């Protein structure tokens, strides 16, 4: 069986979104993109949702899939409990934590 992609729990930064009416970071359909910054460079990370993320995120969201955009990325990093910042336009707007896929279905 093909490995199921990891899921990702996102806690949005209330101080960034709340009260400022800031929209969700550039949702493309049911997908968000962010950058993972490592000492050797940055990697694009894709977060896929089962439906369109809320226009004004509050609290938390669950991405059904999290993966790197390119093949050459350090895929081994995306293990359960790995945490990274959700970056948007140079600002940290949330905190992402990789979780193991639920075995439902």
């Amino acid at each position: 069986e093909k490995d199921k992609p990891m899921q990702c729990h996102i806690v949005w930064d209330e101080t960034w979104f709340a009260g400022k009416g800031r929209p969700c970071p550039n949702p493309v359909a049911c997908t968000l993109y962010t950058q993972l910054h490592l000492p050797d460079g940055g990697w694009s990370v894709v977060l896929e949702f089962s439906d369109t993320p809320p226009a004004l995120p509050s609290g938390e969201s669950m991405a059904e899939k999290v993966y790197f955009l390119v093949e050459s990325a350090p895929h081994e990093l995306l293990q359960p409990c790995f945490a990274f910042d959700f970056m948007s336009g140079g600002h940290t707007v949330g905190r992402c934590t990789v979780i193991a896929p639920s075995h439902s279905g």
Side-chain angles (χ1 to χ4, degrees), residues 31-48:
T31 308
L32 291 176
Y33 297 91
T34 188
Q35 290 281 328
L36 175 62
H37 295 285
L38 298 173
D40 59 352
W43 300 97
S44 292
V45 178
V46 185
L47 297 153
E48 286 187 11

Side-chain angles (χ1 to χ4, degrees), residues 6 16 20 30 38 46 52-53 64 66 74 84 91 95 105:
M6 291 291 168
W16 177 255
K20 300 190 176 67
C30 299
L38 298 173
V46 185
T52 305
E64 298 297 321
V66 57
F84 59 97
H91 298 278
R95 187 72 175 160

